[in-house]
Amino acid sequence: MNSSASTRQESDRLASKSWLKSLLARPEIGPIGVMLLLFGMLGYFSIPAGEFSLNPFAGEGFNALGIRNNLRVIAQLGIIALGAGLLIIAGEFDLSIGSMIGFAGACMAMVLRWGFAIVIPYISFEGGMHVEFFTLFYIDNVSPIGAIMITMCFTLFFGWLQGFIVVRSGLPSFIVTLGGLFFLRGLTEVSLRAFNHRPDQTKGATTVTELPDIKNIIDVPGHGEMERESAKALPEADLMAILKDVPADTIASITERLQYTAQRVADAKTQIMATKGVKPLERALENAIESGNETMAETIRNKIDTFVVNPVVPKEITDIDVARAYIDSISSARPIANFFGGDILEPIFDFLYFPVDWNTNNFGNQFAPGLYSCVMIWVILAILCYVVLSRTQAGNWIYSTGGNLQAAKANGVPTDRVKISLFVFSAFCATIFATCQVFEVNTADAAKGNLKELEAIAAAVIGGIVMTGGFGTVVGIIVGAFIFGLAKEAFFYIPGIDGSFYRVFLGLVIIASALLNENIRKRIMGTL
Amino acid sequence: MADNATTPLIETRGLVKKFGSFTALNGVDLTVYPGEVHALLGDNGAGKSTLIKILSGVFKPTDGEIIVEGRPVSFASPRDATNAGIGTVYQDLALNALTSVTRNFFLGREITHFSSPFGLLKMGEMDRIATEEMAKIGINVADPNQPVGTMSGGQRQTLAIARAIYFGAKVLILDEPTSALGQKQQMEVLKTIRKVQKLGDIAIILITHNEIHARLIADRFTFLSLGEVIGRGTSKELEGDDIKRLMAGGAEIGDLAKELAD
Ligand SMILES: Nc1ncnc2c1ncn2[C@@H]1O[C@H](COP(=O)(O)OP(=O)(O)O)[C@@H](O)[C@H]1O
Ligand SMILES: [Mg+2]
């Protein structure tokens, strides 16, 4: 007997792979490919017509404002996709995410607008039987953190309840959360209408408006707390008074920056005037050449060559301008509201405008103030989810609960607790989404979040999550959110194409991803 | 190998299990000694799986006693049985095919930096232990991060057995470990059982349909038929034909031949 044959083992039959092969076998590789393709599409298609560039970042899709807006869409979807994705890995579904967003936003906005009370109805017999209400307590002025906490109490409870019903009854989560979808959306509309019976509201409206711009409430020296915009609209004397206590070097740097802006704006105006002035001459030249009038053409050519516009003189910087710019630089007196609804990376975006001059729009002003805060929140949540799923005991429990429920149970994994926790986490993500939205736009609407649950599930599937559970990664979920968000933008820029084609594209990507995921899963299960 | 002077590791006395009006077990006595391979044999429906499910805490007996190392016990859950040192390797092995060898080895008992579900896993230590423990009973895993789904049936058995032993099993219950495997892998599992036996005091209760396998490695036999013990003995005491006869539920080969002829 050949000795090398006798020492051979079953495990030797698993061919060791080259690094390239094992890279290509990673479940995220397909989605990452699609993501890069969409990056390229967005870049090239958004390059303005008539211009030529090999650099995709020259396109409108990747100018400062494009990045700001795209990342917002991607991050918002990314936040709820994390909740949906982790739950799917554990083998369950949540169709109530969209309604949960609507409910959370409405709840938070109502508490911020009208306060919070616990009211107990009871039947009174004095003067005929009727229902009376006893107000246990009423807080009129609820802080942002208070409103978030109160909302979380409701939404996390609903998440827990759905999870509890699923694990206790053994019903498919699809049905239970479908119930949640209708229940929560209805509850949101009903309660908004009920509150909008108040005399100060449009009767029957399912929105909350006229919230103050909470994240922009600042402490103005000598005036106390007020909204930034009202502070900037103060009488000139007040503005001058505010400026008195500002250190000289701060004033100097603000002034320098305002002068830079004035110069940019003036340059842009000059540029616009020049193009506008030359355009008619160029058209006349074309006509002249067409009609064969050589002398005429020559004259016009001369005119074009000698065409000059007087450069626009930059606007003078006044103390009032400096005072308003100073007010713009005061940081928020409501850090929690600002954390969820404000901007981040402002110093970097400022730097990219002055001195770098990249973050500049066509009129010479700064293009984007920064990124939406929800991007940061998404990054934080994604890192946490990554660590939990791939590096902790809880992660192993999540995978096994979805991968082989009986095996997990037999090994003592508290599978019911795992599932319920993830239903709660899904509700948490929906609430975070709503929180960002409320503090960004200062309104709420019962229709908010419509269809978001399906988008979140789609992003997770595109990112390599298998619907039957037990398989997928956080990196995949992130990539899925990118693909979903980028597709919408990229198709918008393709010339001569209906923007809704992005849905056609996504539909195909979803099916292709699901097929691919199933194939990878079967290969790992050893059934292929 | 089995020494009757020592106390049995696990013993059942008059075990009865009724499912409604159906009596699955009717007064079963079983005695398993340290270090022995105890074959539990019987026809389909004899009650073998029911018996081991009682031993592993899945079912509660309707009547009768379970005695572990001389002390009567009662199991409220599989956890209790595991803690008492009874490790069961189920037919479906209780593995998650989609995750790695290490993750399965430590499933439910992961080693973490802080004793919290959110404590970071000590992946390096866990990889090392899983590899070592499986090597002890005969399998060198090339990569402890390979998904269990890519392993052969025999390797999966080894993983499940190594896991049970590492987490303190004194009695290993193997429910038809070879039934779903090919010839070569069946031998692998038998070799693994031998290696476990050589580790020392661990007893193995082996349920099988395969007479040859039972003969090859069992030290002691218990035969079940229709929920009752119809025979028992050590490998020395039983003659070749006895085993065949008792496995068939006590009928003589001659009777069977006659039945066929009728
Ligand atoms: N949960 C149960 N409920 C009712 N009857 C059962 C249950 N489990 C097993 N039985 C019955 O008990 C008998 C013994 O089954 P089992 O222990 O699985 O036999 P074996 O493993 O020896 O083939 C069978 O007739 C089976 O139908
Ligand atoms: Mg059986």
Side-chain angles (χ1 to χ4, degrees):
Chain A
M1 198 179 184
N2 186 326
S3 73
S4 76
S6 68
T7 53
R8 269 185 47 132
Q9 286 204 346
E10 194 60 37
S11 58
D12 297 332
R13 298 174 64 184
L14 190 73
S16 62
K17 299 173 197 152
S18 74
W19 65 269
L20 185 66
K21 264 213 181 124
S22 55
L23 183 74
L24 287 177
R26 300 258 334 149
E28 298 98 346
I29 202 73
I32 287 177
V34 176
M35 183 177 81
L36 294 179
L37 173 78
L38 286 170
F39 262 121
M41 280 171 61
L42 175 57
Y44 285 111
F45 287 125
S46 65
I47 291 170
E51 280 178 32
F52 172 79
S53 172
L54 284 176
N55 172 16
F57 294 99
E60 281 173 22
F62 291 118
N63 64 27
L65 197 63
I67 290 175
R68 172 179 162 88
N69 291 333
N70 291 345
L71 275 181
R72 179 198 194 190
V73 173
I74 292 167
Q76 285 180 332
L77 179 60
I79 289 170
I80 48 173
L82 287 171
L86 258 51
L87 187 58
I88 297 174
I89 294 177
E92 301 291 348
F93 265 109
D94 189 356
L95 291 180
S96 70
I97 293 173
S99 301
M100 193 74 83
I101 291 170
F103 174 83
C107 177
M108 203 172 301
M110 284 192 283
V111 170
L112 286 168
R113 179 109 163 75
W114 296 306
F116 182 67
I118 290 186
V119 179
I120 300 169
Y122 62 95
I123 295 169
S124 163
F125 294 100
E126 269 169 55
M129 199 172 93
H130 65 289
V131 179
E132 291 254 342
F133 296 95
F134 174 70
T135 304
L136 201 60
F137 70 86
Y138 173 51
I139 327 168
D140 183 16
N141 204 342
V142 183
S143 66
I145 185 77
I148 294 169
M149 300 286 240
I150 290 167
T151 307
M152 284 282 183
C153 286
F154 286 110
T155 54
L156 300 193
F157 169 74
F158 284 130
W160 175 86
L161 187 64
Q162 294 188 79
F164 183 79
I165 293 173
V166 167
V167 300
R168 273 304 154 93
S169 67
L171 285 174
S173 47
F174 182 90
I175 294 301
V176 174
T177 58
L178 185 64
L181 180 153
F182 286 108
F183 177 86
L184 285 172
R185 186 69 72 193
L187 186 64
T188 311
E189 287 169 359
V190 167
S191 28
L192 277 172
R193 286 213 189 88
F195 277 89
N196 280 341
H197 274 302
R198 292 168 60 115
D200 58 343
Q201 281 291 302
T202 327
K203 196 171 170 173
T206 54
T207 54
V208 179
T209 51
E210 293 168 53
L211 274 181
D213 188 8
I214 301 172
K215 61 178 177 295
N216 274 321
I217 291 177
I218 52 173
D219 196 358
V220 184
H223 294 265
E225 288 188 348
M226 61 198 304
E227 277 181 50
R228 203 183 296 278
E229 286 311 309
S230 354
K232 280 156 83 175
L234 283 172
E236 297 196 354
D238 288 341
L239 289 173
M240 296 305 293
I242 290 168
L243 207 54
K244 275 228 180 67
D245 295 328
V246 180
D249 48 346
T250 308
I251 292 181
S253 75
I254 290 175
T255 313
E256 188 189 2
R257 153 108 196 207
L258 287 174
Q259 276 161 351
Y260 174 85
T261 303
Q263 185 62 52
R264 289 276 82 76
V265 170
D267 290 350
K269 274 188 188 152
T270 315
Q271 184 63 41
I272 291 167
M273 280 167 64
T275 2
K276 270 197 186 146
V278 169
K279 272 256 164 67
L281 287 175
E282 283 174 342
R283 232 173 291 132
L285 177 64
E286 260 170 48
N287 287 340
I289 291 171
E290 227 164 78
S291 57
N293 190 339
E294 251 324 297
T295 46
M296 183 67 152
E298 198 51 40
T299 335
I300 298 173
R301 254 188 221 112
N302 263 334
K303 259 197 174 162
I304 291 178
D305 286 345
T306 56
F307 183 87
V308 278
V309 285
N310 291 331
V312 177
V313 181
K315 179 172 164 285
E316 208 51 58
I317 303 302
T318 66
D319 284 353
I320 301 298
D321 294 330
V322 176
R324 290 196 177 123
Y326 171 72
I327 288 171
D328 266 332
S329 74
I330 298 176
S331 53
S332 173
R334 296 282 183 277
I336 296 290
N338 198 46
F339 179 85
F340 287 102
D343 291 329
I344 54 162
L345 301 183
E346 286 145 311
I348 292 178
F349 276 70
D350 284 347
F351 173 79
L352 290 173
Y353 176 61
F354 171 52
V356 176
D357 194 23
W358 172 74
N359 181 14
T360 314
N361 69 12
N362 288 339
F363 304 104
N365 288 304
Q366 179 167 345
F367 219 170
L371 293 180
Y372 284 97
S373 214
C374 61
V375 177
M376 169 183 66
I377 290 166
W378 180 42
V379 171
I380 295 172
L381 276 177
I383 291 172
L384 282 178
C385 287
Y386 171 77
V387 171
V388 168
L389 190 62
S390 348
R391 303 251 175 261
T392 70
Q393 183 175 43
N396 207 22
W397 290 358
I398 293 172
Y399 276 123
S400 60
T401 299
N404 186 345
L405 187 66
Q406 294 315 319
K409 280 191 174 146
N411 286 293
V413 174
T415 56
D416 287 354
R417 227 180 339 134
V418 169
K419 285 186 178 180
I420 292 176
S421 309
L422 288 173
F423 275 105
V424 172
F425 181 66
S426 176
F428 173 82
C429 290
T431 312
I432 292 293
F433 181 110
T435 309
C436 292
Q437 224 170 31
V438 165
F439 288 110
E440 272 169 22
V441 299
N442 309 309
T443 59
D445 184 334
K448 280 271 164 69
N450 197 17
L451 289 183
K452 284 292 171 200
E453 62 283 333
L454 298 185
E455 289 185 12
I457 293 171
V461 170
I462 292 172
I465 308 289
V466 173
M467 295 314 272
T468 45
F471 193 72
T473 62
V474 170
V475 174
I477 300 174
I478 294 168
V479 173
F482 262 105
I483 290 179
F484 208 101
L486 284 173
K488 201 170 179 172
E489 286 304 304
F491 276 80
F492 171 78
Y493 280 112
I494 299 178
I497 193 173
D498 188 318
S500 285
F501 264 109
Y502 91 91
R503 288 221 169 90
V504 176
F505 172 82
L506 280 177
L508 295 175
V509 170
I510 289 168
I511 293 170
S513 312
L515 287 172
L516 182 76
N517 298 344
E518 191 53 23
N519 183 287
I520 294 174
R521 190 184 74 93
K522 280 195 179 135
R523 241 187 305 160
I524 289 178
M525 292 284 273
T527 48
L528 199 76
Chain B
M1 169 143 278
D3 177 4
N4 285 10
T6 57
T7 40
L9 241 178
I10 188 166
E11 205 181 343
T12 71
R13 289 193 196 143
L15 222 47
V16 176
K17 178 68 190 175
K18 293 191 173 161
F19 295 110
S21 60
F22 181 81
T23 307
L25 294 178
N26 189 19
V28 171
D29 299 340
L30 178 76
T31 314
V32 181
Y33 293 95
E36 74 176 8
V37 175
H38 192 124
L40 188 59
L41 304 170
D43 208 357
N44 264 334
K48 305 180 297 287
S49 294
T50 306
L51 176 57
I52 62 137
K53 277 183 182 154
I54 291 173
L55 292 181
S56 56
V58 176
F59 291 154
K60 289 194 118 177
T62 313
D63 198 10
E65 273 189 303
I66 305 172
I67 296 147
V68 176
E69 293 180 308
R71 281 187 307 275
V73 292
S74 121
F75 302 140
S77 72
R79 246 297 113 104
D80 286 355
T82 316
N83 291 341
I86 300 173
T88 309
V89 176
Y90 293 99
Q91 265 163 330
D92 63 6
L93 301 175
L95 296 175
N96 177 9
L98 287 165
T99 53
S100 72
V101 172
T102 303
R103 280 174 177 272
N104 270 284
F105 193 96
F106 286 94
L107 182 55
R109 285 167 289 225
E110 294 84 352
I111 307 176
T112 59
H113 276 282
F114 312 97
S115 49
S116 135
F118 296 105
L120 292 185
L121 294 172
K122 292 185 176 167
M123 223 45 205
E125 188 181 338
M126 284 168 31
D127 281 344
R128 186 177 54 71
I129 293 173
T131 315
E132 278 175 16
E133 292 299 312
M134 289 181 71
K136 271 190 205 162
I137 54 169
I139 287 200
N140 292 312
V141 265
D143 175 10
N145 289 313
Q146 92 185 66
V148 163
T150 61
M151 304 208 312
S152 72
Q155 289 175 316
R156 292 188 205 193
Q157 284 284 351
T158 310
L159 168 54
I161 292 170
R163 176 171 71 179
I165 294 173
Y166 179 74
F167 289 106
K170 286 174 280 187
V171 185
L172 261 184
I173 301 176
L174 308 180
D175 189 3
E176 308 210 6
T178 54
S179 65
L181 303 179
Q183 280 291 345
K184 200 171 154 244
Q185 291 180 5
Q186 291 184 355
M187 282 316 290
E188 252 181 70
V189 173
L190 294 184
K191 275 189 208 158
T192 303
I193 294 174
R194 258 284 135 73
K195 285 232 169 94
V196 174
Q197 204 179 13
K198 284 193 184 127
L199 288 180
D201 286 342
I202 296 169
I204 294 171
I205 300 175
L206 174 69
I207 295 167
T208 181
H209 265 114
N210 192 317
E211 184 199 337
I212 302 169
H213 291 170
R215 248 191 237 276
L216 274 171
I217 55 166
D219 305 305
R220 190 182 290 272
F221 297 81
T222 296
F223 298 91
L224 279 186
S225 178
L226 304 175
E228 291 179 10
V229 176
I230 57 161
R232 56 162 65 89
T234 63
S235 50
K236 282 186 218 104
E237 292 159 11
L238 294 164
E239 309 261 315
D241 256 7
D242 288 342
I243 294 178
K244 198 169 266 151
R245 179 174 55 83
L246 289 165
M247 273 188 85
E252 297 290 347
I253 293 290
D255 297 344
L256 293 175
K258 206 166 146 245
E259 205 178 313
L260 272 177
D262 286 347

PDB file of all heavy atoms in Angstrom, chain B residues 19 22 24 43-50 59, ligand 1:
ATOM      1  N   PHE B  19     -46.743   7.491  25.828  1.00  0.00           N
ATOM      2  CA  PHE B  19     -47.254   8.610  25.035  1.00  0.00           C
ATOM      3  C   PHE B  19     -48.753   8.414  24.955  1.00  0.00           C
ATOM      4  O   PHE B  19     -49.225   7.629  24.145  1.00  0.00           O
ATOM      5  CB  PHE B  19     -46.651   8.600  23.625  1.00  0.00           C
ATOM      6  CG  PHE B  19     -45.161   8.842  23.610  1.00  0.00           C
ATOM      7  CD1 PHE B  19     -44.288   7.820  23.272  1.00  0.00           C
ATOM      8  CD2 PHE B  19     -44.637  10.085  23.921  1.00  0.00           C
ATOM      9  CE1 PHE B  19     -42.921   8.037  23.247  1.00  0.00           C
ATOM     10  CE2 PHE B  19     -43.276  10.306  23.890  1.00  0.00           C
ATOM     11  CZ  PHE B  19     -42.409   9.284  23.558  1.00  0.00           C
ATOM     12  N   PHE B  22     -50.163   4.858  24.566  1.00  0.00           N
ATOM     13  CA  PHE B  22     -49.133   4.016  23.955  1.00  0.00           C
ATOM     14  C   PHE B  22     -47.923   3.912  24.882  1.00  0.00           C
ATOM     15  O   PHE B  22     -47.370   4.929  25.315  1.00  0.00           O
ATOM     16  CB  PHE B  22     -48.729   4.610  22.608  1.00  0.00           C
ATOM     17  CG  PHE B  22     -47.681   3.816  21.883  1.00  0.00           C
ATOM     18  CD1 PHE B  22     -48.034   2.684  21.161  1.00  0.00           C
ATOM     19  CD2 PHE B  22     -46.346   4.197  21.933  1.00  0.00           C
ATOM     20  CE1 PHE B  22     -47.066   1.952  20.489  1.00  0.00           C
ATOM     21  CE2 PHE B  22     -45.388   3.463  21.266  1.00  0.00           C
ATOM     22  CZ  PHE B  22     -45.751   2.334  20.542  1.00  0.00           C
ATOM     23  N   ALA B  24     -44.266   3.332  25.165  1.00  0.00           N
ATOM     24  CA  ALA B  24     -43.065   3.234  24.340  1.00  0.00           C
ATOM     25  C   ALA B  24     -41.977   2.450  25.079  1.00  0.00           C
ATOM     26  O   ALA B  24     -41.221   1.698  24.470  1.00  0.00           O
ATOM     27  CB  ALA B  24     -42.562   4.626  23.978  1.00  0.00           C
ATOM     28  N   ASP B  43     -35.006  -3.400  16.977  1.00  0.00           N
ATOM     29  CA  ASP B  43     -35.664  -3.114  15.712  1.00  0.00           C
ATOM     30  C   ASP B  43     -36.195  -1.684  15.690  1.00  0.00           C
ATOM     31  O   ASP B  43     -36.264  -1.012  16.726  1.00  0.00           O
ATOM     32  CB  ASP B  43     -36.827  -4.109  15.547  1.00  0.00           C
ATOM     33  CG  ASP B  43     -37.125  -4.378  14.089  1.00  0.00           C
ATOM     34  OD1 ASP B  43     -36.448  -3.741  13.247  1.00  0.00           O
ATOM     35  OD2 ASP B  43     -38.012  -5.191  13.810  1.00  0.00           O
ATOM     36  N   ASN B  44     -36.612  -1.240  14.548  1.00  0.00           N
ATOM     37  CA  ASN B  44     -37.261   0.075  14.449  1.00  0.00           C
ATOM     38  C   ASN B  44     -38.483   0.131  15.349  1.00  0.00           C
ATOM     39  O   ASN B  44     -39.272  -0.805  15.375  1.00  0.00           O
ATOM     40  CB  ASN B  44     -37.723   0.319  13.010  1.00  0.00           C
ATOM     41  CG  ASN B  44     -36.698   1.126  12.234  1.00  0.00           C
ATOM     42  OD1 ASN B  44     -35.936   1.876  12.846  1.00  0.00           O
ATOM     43  ND2 ASN B  44     -36.669   0.974  10.930  1.00  0.00           N
ATOM     44  N   GLY B  45     -38.598   1.209  16.085  1.00  0.00           N
ATOM     45  CA  GLY B  45     -39.771   1.357  16.956  1.00  0.00           C
ATOM     46  C   GLY B  45     -39.624   0.644  18.285  1.00  0.00           C
ATOM     47  O   GLY B  45     -40.558   0.646  19.086  1.00  0.00           O
ATOM     48  N   ALA B  46     -38.455   0.052  18.542  1.00  0.00           N
ATOM     49  CA  ALA B  46     -38.257  -0.686  19.788  1.00  0.00           C
ATOM     50  C   ALA B  46     -38.262   0.244  20.998  1.00  0.00           C
ATOM     51  O   ALA B  46     -38.583  -0.165  22.110  1.00  0.00           O
ATOM     52  CB  ALA B  46     -36.951  -1.460  19.738  1.00  0.00           C
ATOM     53  N   GLY B  47     -37.898   1.496  20.781  1.00  0.00           N
ATOM     54  CA  GLY B  47     -37.886   2.449  21.878  1.00  0.00           C
ATOM     55  C   GLY B  47     -36.501   2.972  22.210  1.00  0.00           C
ATOM     56  O   GLY B  47     -36.301   3.626  23.229  1.00  0.00           O
ATOM     57  N   LYS B  48     -35.537   2.734  21.328  1.00  0.00           N
ATOM     58  CA  LYS B  48     -34.161   3.163  21.589  1.00  0.00           C
ATOM     59  C   LYS B  48     -34.057   4.678  21.699  1.00  0.00           C
ATOM     60  O   LYS B  48     -33.495   5.219  22.658  1.00  0.00           O
ATOM     61  CB  LYS B  48     -33.234   2.659  20.470  1.00  0.00           C
ATOM     62  CG  LYS B  48     -33.289   1.163  20.223  1.00  0.00           C
ATOM     63  CD  LYS B  48     -32.352   0.732  19.115  1.00  0.00           C
ATOM     64  CE  LYS B  48     -32.663   1.312  17.744  1.00  0.00           C
ATOM     65  NZ  LYS B  48     -33.831   0.772  17.052  1.00  0.00           N
ATOM     66  N   SER B  49     -34.619   5.354  20.693  1.00  0.00           N
ATOM     67  CA  SER B  49     -34.526   6.819  20.710  1.00  0.00           C
ATOM     68  C   SER B  49     -35.264   7.400  21.903  1.00  0.00           C
ATOM     69  O   SER B  49     -34.805   8.368  22.518  1.00  0.00           O
ATOM     70  CB  SER B  49     -35.089   7.408  19.415  1.00  0.00           C
ATOM     71  OG  SER B  49     -34.282   7.034  18.331  1.00  0.00           O
ATOM     72  N   THR B  50     -36.400   6.816  22.239  1.00  0.00           N
ATOM     73  CA  THR B  50     -37.143   7.291  23.399  1.00  0.00           C
ATOM     74  C   THR B  50     -36.289   7.165  24.658  1.00  0.00           C
ATOM     75  O   THR B  50     -36.225   8.083  25.483  1.00  0.00           O
ATOM     76  CB  THR B  50     -38.446   6.481  23.547  1.00  0.00           C
ATOM     77  OG1 THR B  50     -39.164   6.531  22.323  1.00  0.00           O
ATOM     78  CG2 THR B  50     -39.306   7.046  24.660  1.00  0.00           C
ATOM     79  N   PHE B  59     -37.149  14.086  27.157  1.00  0.00           N
ATOM     80  CA  PHE B  59     -38.420  13.597  27.702  1.00  0.00           C
ATOM     81  C   PHE B  59     -38.276  13.357  29.194  1.00  0.00           C
ATOM     82  O   PHE B  59     -37.194  13.028  29.678  1.00  0.00           O
ATOM     83  CB  PHE B  59     -38.810  12.248  27.080  1.00  0.00           C
ATOM     84  CG  PHE B  59     -39.186  12.309  25.632  1.00  0.00           C
ATOM     85  CD1 PHE B  59     -39.035  11.185  24.824  1.00  0.00           C
ATOM     86  CD2 PHE B  59     -39.705  13.467  25.062  1.00  0.00           C
ATOM     87  CE1 PHE B  59     -39.383  11.213  23.485  1.00  0.00           C
ATOM     88  CE2 PHE B  59     -40.066  13.504  23.730  1.00  0.00           C
ATOM     89  CZ  PHE B  59     -39.889  12.374  22.936  1.00  0.00           C
TER      90      PHE B  59
HETATM   91  N1  LIG C   1     -43.262  11.887  20.776  1.00  0.00           N
HETATM   92  C1  LIG C   1     -43.901  10.705  20.572  1.00  0.00           C
HETATM   93  N2  LIG C   1     -45.252  10.628  20.676  1.00  0.00           N
HETATM   94  C2  LIG C   1     -45.891   9.476  20.460  1.00  0.00           C
HETATM   95  N3  LIG C   1     -45.278   8.341  20.147  1.00  0.00           N
HETATM   96  C3  LIG C   1     -43.945   8.334  20.041  1.00  0.00           C
HETATM   97  C4  LIG C   1     -43.181   9.516  20.248  1.00  0.00           C
HETATM   98  N4  LIG C   1     -41.868   9.219  20.071  1.00  0.00           N
HETATM   99  C5  LIG C   1     -41.816   7.904  19.769  1.00  0.00           C
HETATM  100  N5  LIG C   1     -43.048   7.373  19.757  1.00  0.00           N
HETATM  101  C6  LIG C   1     -43.359   5.963  19.508  1.00  0.00           C
HETATM  102  O1  LIG C   1     -42.624   5.170  20.390  1.00  0.00           O
HETATM  103  C7  LIG C   1     -42.138   4.022  19.731  1.00  0.00           C
HETATM  104  C8  LIG C   1     -40.647   3.912  19.915  1.00  0.00           C
HETATM  105  O2  LIG C   1     -40.020   4.901  19.110  1.00  0.00           O
HETATM  106  P1  LIG C   1     -38.461   5.178  19.071  1.00  0.00           P
HETATM  107  O3  LIG C   1     -37.968   5.313  20.465  1.00  0.00           O
HETATM  108  O4  LIG C   1     -38.197   6.298  18.169  1.00  0.00           O
HETATM  109  O5  LIG C   1     -37.922   3.828  18.421  1.00  0.00           O
HETATM  110  P2  LIG C   1     -36.486   3.469  17.808  1.00  0.00           P
HETATM  111  O6  LIG C   1     -35.590   4.610  17.983  1.00  0.00           O
HETATM  112  O7  LIG C   1     -36.065   2.275  18.582  1.00  0.00           O
HETATM  113  O8  LIG C   1     -36.703   3.134  16.376  1.00  0.00           O
HETATM  114  C9  LIG C   1     -42.541   4.113  18.284  1.00  0.00           C
HETATM  115  O9  LIG C   1     -43.680   3.281  18.071  1.00  0.00           O
HETATM  116  C10 LIG C   1     -42.911   5.563  18.120  1.00  0.00           C
HETATM  117  O10 LIG C   1     -43.977   5.692  17.202  1.00  0.00           O
END
